[in-house]
Amino acid sequence: MQRALELARQGLGRTRPNPAVGAVVVRDCKIVGEGYHQKAGTPHAEIHALKAAGEMARGATLYVTLEPCCHYGRTPPCTEAIKAAGIRKVVIAMPDPNPKVAGEGIRQLKEAGIEVEVGVLAQEAGRLNEAFSKYITTGLPWVTMKVAMTLDGKIATRTGASRWITCEASRQKVHELRDTHDAVLVGIGTVLADDPLLTTRLPGGRDAVRVILDSSLRLPLNAKVINPSSPAPTWVATTDRAPVEKIKELERLGVEVLILPSERGRVSWAALLKTLGEREITSVLLEGGAEVNASALENGIVDRVIVFIAPKIFGGREAPGPVGGAGISRPDEAWRLEEVEVQPSGTDIMITGLVKKDST
């Protein structure tokens, strides 16, 4: 199952709106076939593994990170292929949260006389597909907020300079995060201050959809996110305050402008996430500045937080921290993280955790 999870990770960021799934066929204690889901509309992991195993699949055990599908979608059901291949036993990490499956695949396999075991490395499989699980049950993308800051909690100096706070190893991890998310999202303030590309600089990496929050459409026409050298599209989320002529100019440059409802003069988070979900964006990496981060937290849309802390001290009363806004008035009102993990990242420290959604 560990090998199946390794295979599944190769599909992260590439299978939307489908989950990342890996499969391994084992016979006589040897792997005779393996595969992973590579792109929506193409064969699922089980089909790749069964094809690689060929006749060796008969009487073998199939390890798969997610319950096999049992319905016709863009591809035929995997349960039928498993039965046809003569698989003796199927070991499943976790049930499929998709309401179209949700245990039905397991039931069909058992009815066909196939032994089924569920729950092997379930926690790891759940973490792997946390974005898919949220998307398939709510229609909304999973949001990960990434922060890079100094030991004294600064994301820039008092002059606004921020390159580079973290070490090369941490910056590499950020590119890996971009590679495995469907979209990367920043506010217009970040674009105006840093003019980022928001691309993935990894060998064989892929660029996520670039989403810019820009309520009054201040995006410069020469901004690097309007980058013809990247195949990734750029979407600008704005409001009815956007000048019509500016919309046309951006559209001529290949930018897609999304005019969305506003709240307090800013793009509505609820409307934005709904729109992204409708466009089959299952995961978003939020790389915002202090105000965007505060707004996202206040609106309850952040699911996971990843913070890189560099052993540096900037100081300065005017130097910004990672979360702006009005802030809280009492410590017990803090946004809390659970399932917290702490690990080194080069010379930095990386802390990650889920945002606790209730007030207890």
Side-chain angles (χ1 to χ4, degrees), residues 152-160 313-321:
D152 59 335
K154 307 296 184 181
I155 61 171
T157 67
R158 61 182 174 80
T159 64
I313 297 174
F314 282 177
R317 285 184 293 272
E318 303 303 318

mmCIF file of all heavy atoms in Angstrom, residues 152-160 313-321:
data_model
loop_
_atom_site.group_PDB
_atom_site.id
_atom_site.type_symbol
_atom_site.label_atom_id
_atom_site.label_comp_id
_atom_site.label_asym_id
_atom_site.label_seq_id
_atom_site.Cartn_x
_atom_site.Cartn_y
_atom_site.Cartn_z
ATOM 1 N N ASP A 152 10.640 36.535 14.022
ATOM 2 C CA ASP A 152 9.827 37.531 14.733
ATOM 3 C C ASP A 152 8.529 37.843 13.989
ATOM 4 O O ASP A 152 7.894 38.867 14.229
ATOM 5 C CB ASP A 152 10.627 38.815 15.001
ATOM 6 C CG ASP A 152 11.152 39.472 13.736
ATOM 7 O OD1 ASP A 152 11.323 38.761 12.721
ATOM 8 O OD2 ASP A 152 11.395 40.690 13.744
ATOM 9 N N GLY A 153 8.123 36.938 13.100
ATOM 10 C CA GLY A 153 6.796 37.036 12.498
ATOM 11 C C GLY A 153 6.628 38.106 11.450
ATOM 12 O O GLY A 153 5.562 38.715 11.353
ATOM 13 N N LYS A 154 7.650 38.324 10.607
ATOM 14 C CA LYS A 154 7.560 39.325 9.546
ATOM 15 C C LYS A 154 7.585 38.634 8.183
ATOM 16 O O LYS A 154 8.339 37.688 7.965
ATOM 17 C CB LYS A 154 8.723 40.317 9.625
ATOM 18 C CG LYS A 154 8.904 40.990 10.988
ATOM 19 C CD LYS A 154 7.714 41.853 11.355
ATOM 20 C CE LYS A 154 7.951 42.591 12.665
ATOM 21 N NZ LYS A 154 6.787 43.427 13.060
ATOM 22 N N ILE A 155 6.753 39.145 7.260
ATOM 23 C CA ILE A 155 6.750 38.599 5.895
ATOM 24 C C ILE A 155 7.449 39.553 4.922
ATOM 25 O O ILE A 155 7.548 39.261 3.734
ATOM 26 C CB ILE A 155 5.321 38.307 5.413
ATOM 27 C CG1 ILE A 155 4.467 39.580 5.376
ATOM 28 C CG2 ILE A 155 4.666 37.238 6.278
ATOM 29 C CD1 ILE A 155 3.114 39.386 4.708
ATOM 30 N N ALA A 156 7.936 40.664 5.435
ATOM 31 C CA ALA A 156 8.698 41.627 4.635
ATOM 32 C C ALA A 156 9.368 42.600 5.611
ATOM 33 O O ALA A 156 8.999 42.683 6.788
ATOM 34 C CB ALA A 156 7.794 42.386 3.663
ATOM 35 N N THR A 157 10.343 43.344 5.107
ATOM 36 C CA THR A 157 10.975 44.377 5.924
ATOM 37 C C THR A 157 10.082 45.616 5.958
ATOM 38 O O THR A 157 9.039 45.671 5.301
ATOM 39 C CB THR A 157 12.340 44.766 5.343
ATOM 40 O OG1 THR A 157 12.137 45.417 4.078
ATOM 41 C CG2 THR A 157 13.218 43.531 5.123
ATOM 42 N N ARG A 158 10.502 46.637 6.694
ATOM 43 C CA ARG A 158 9.707 47.869 6.774
ATOM 44 C C ARG A 158 9.613 48.577 5.435
ATOM 45 O O ARG A 158 8.702 49.375 5.202
ATOM 46 C CB ARG A 158 10.298 48.813 7.823
ATOM 47 C CG ARG A 158 11.724 49.254 7.548
ATOM 48 C CD ARG A 158 12.259 50.146 8.645
ATOM 49 N NE ARG A 158 13.669 50.453 8.466
ATOM 50 C CZ ARG A 158 14.137 51.371 7.635
ATOM 51 N NH1 ARG A 158 13.304 52.079 6.890
ATOM 52 N NH2 ARG A 158 15.444 51.585 7.529
ATOM 53 N N THR A 159 10.535 48.241 4.491
ATOM 54 C CA THR A 159 10.485 48.853 3.151
ATOM 55 C C THR A 159 9.654 48.028 2.184
ATOM 56 O O THR A 159 9.455 48.422 1.041
ATOM 57 C CB THR A 159 11.899 49.016 2.583
ATOM 58 O OG1 THR A 159 12.480 47.711 2.391
ATOM 59 C CG2 THR A 159 12.775 49.844 3.510
ATOM 60 N N GLY A 160 9.181 46.846 2.630
ATOM 61 C CA GLY A 160 8.388 45.976 1.774
ATOM 62 C C GLY A 160 9.187 44.893 1.086
ATOM 63 O O GLY A 160 8.619 44.068 0.364
ATOM 64 N N ILE A 313 15.654 37.697 11.956
ATOM 65 C CA ILE A 313 14.868 38.698 12.662
ATOM 66 C C ILE A 313 14.919 40.003 11.873
ATOM 67 O O ILE A 313 15.999 40.516 11.593
ATOM 68 C CB ILE A 313 15.402 38.921 14.094
ATOM 69 C CG1 ILE A 313 15.253 37.620 14.907
ATOM 70 C CG2 ILE A 313 14.659 40.064 14.775
ATOM 71 C CD1 ILE A 313 15.879 37.682 16.281
ATOM 72 N N PHE A 314 13.758 40.491 11.456
ATOM 73 C CA PHE A 314 13.682 41.750 10.703
ATOM 74 C C PHE A 314 13.444 42.950 11.618
ATOM 75 O O PHE A 314 13.990 44.015 11.420
ATOM 76 C CB PHE A 314 12.554 41.696 9.659
ATOM 77 C CG PHE A 314 12.884 40.923 8.428
ATOM 78 C CD1 PHE A 314 11.923 40.750 7.418
ATOM 79 C CD2 PHE A 314 14.129 40.361 8.231
ATOM 80 C CE1 PHE A 314 12.209 40.047 6.270
ATOM 81 C CE2 PHE A 314 14.426 39.644 7.076
ATOM 82 C CZ PHE A 314 13.465 39.485 6.089
ATOM 83 N N GLY A 315 12.585 42.780 12.617
ATOM 84 C CA GLY A 315 12.216 43.905 13.456
ATOM 85 C C GLY A 315 11.421 44.944 12.684
ATOM 86 O O GLY A 315 11.088 44.769 11.512
ATOM 87 N N GLY A 316 11.096 46.035 13.349
ATOM 88 C CA GLY A 316 10.398 47.128 12.677
ATOM 89 C C GLY A 316 8.916 47.138 12.969
ATOM 90 O O GLY A 316 8.218 46.180 12.654
ATOM 91 N N ARG A 317 8.439 48.249 13.564
ATOM 92 C CA ARG A 317 7.006 48.358 13.851
ATOM 93 C C ARG A 317 6.174 48.359 12.579
ATOM 94 O O ARG A 317 5.024 47.944 12.577
ATOM 95 C CB ARG A 317 6.740 49.631 14.659
ATOM 96 C CG ARG A 317 7.163 49.553 16.113
ATOM 97 C CD ARG A 317 6.791 50.802 16.866
ATOM 98 N NE ARG A 317 7.556 51.949 16.389
ATOM 99 C CZ ARG A 317 8.750 52.292 16.864
ATOM 100 N NH1 ARG A 317 9.313 51.572 17.821
ATOM 101 N NH2 ARG A 317 9.397 53.344 16.386
ATOM 102 N N GLU A 318 6.731 48.850 11.482
ATOM 103 C CA GLU A 318 5.978 48.948 10.236
ATOM 104 C C GLU A 318 6.127 47.710 9.351
ATOM 105 O O GLU A 318 5.478 47.612 8.312
ATOM 106 C CB GLU A 318 6.438 50.190 9.452
ATOM 107 C CG GLU A 318 6.301 51.496 10.221
ATOM 108 C CD GLU A 318 4.887 51.744 10.682
ATOM 109 O OE1 GLU A 318 3.950 51.495 9.895
ATOM 110 O OE2 GLU A 318 4.706 52.168 11.846
ATOM 111 N N ALA A 319 7.002 46.800 9.732
ATOM 112 C CA ALA A 319 7.171 45.577 8.933
ATOM 113 C C ALA A 319 5.945 44.692 9.106
ATOM 114 O O ALA A 319 5.526 44.428 10.231
ATOM 115 C CB ALA A 319 8.435 44.846 9.366
ATOM 116 N N PRO A 320 5.353 44.216 8.006
ATOM 117 C CA PRO A 320 4.096 43.460 8.106
ATOM 118 C C PRO A 320 4.273 42.036 8.620
ATOM 119 O O PRO A 320 5.303 41.390 8.392
ATOM 120 C CB PRO A 320 3.583 43.455 6.665
ATOM 121 C CG PRO A 320 4.822 43.542 5.836
ATOM 122 C CD PRO A 320 5.770 44.412 6.607
ATOM 123 N N GLY A 321 3.239 41.563 9.290
ATOM 124 C CA GLY A 321 3.158 40.164 9.690
ATOM 125 C C GLY A 321 2.322 39.395 8.678
ATOM 126 O O GLY A 321 1.782 39.978 7.729
#
